[in-house]
Amino acid sequence: MVKEDLAALGITLGGELAEAAEAAAAEPDHFEVLPENWDAVQIFLRCCRQWLFRGMDGHREALDVQAVISIISLFHLTPKQQLERLDQVQLIERGALSVMNQPRN
């Protein structure tokens, strides 16, 4: 899909970039989500464009907590459940940040 998108713009990939694009398009990653974590994953995915960035280096600092709280409120949960979901989303956030902020080759 990446190669096709770039080709539509007149861009072709070669070498390692082409291999990486083909590998990424070959098969999506699948993983199991426990039922008790499903709402937190859904909230996190709905907040995926709400990252706050640190300086000019492009490193993500955190999700905008106000955006996360707004999304959580759409689930009509009790205040206790809302805090639990926020904690779960912040755990997912920490894991995502550790991967996204790794140095790139």
Side-chain angles (χ1 to χ4, degrees), residues 8-66:
L9 298 171
I11 301 169
T12 56
L13 295 177
E16 289 180 24
L17 289 176
E19 292 171 13
E22 286 179 26
E27 186 175 322
D29 292 335
H30 295 278
F31 54 91
E32 183 177 346
V33 176
L34 297 173
E36 60 267 24
N37 296 328
W38 185 248
D39 284 349
V41 171
Q42 292 300 306
I43 293 164
F44 178 80
L45 292 174
R46 284 182 171 88
C47 295
C48 69
R49 295 184 153 206
Q50 302 302 319
W51 289 104
L52 301 174
F53 290 84
R54 175 181 61 214
M56 299 294 289
D57 62 2
H59 279 81
R60 289 171 174 87
E61 185 73 24
L63 284 171
D64 180 346
V65 80
Q66 292 302 318

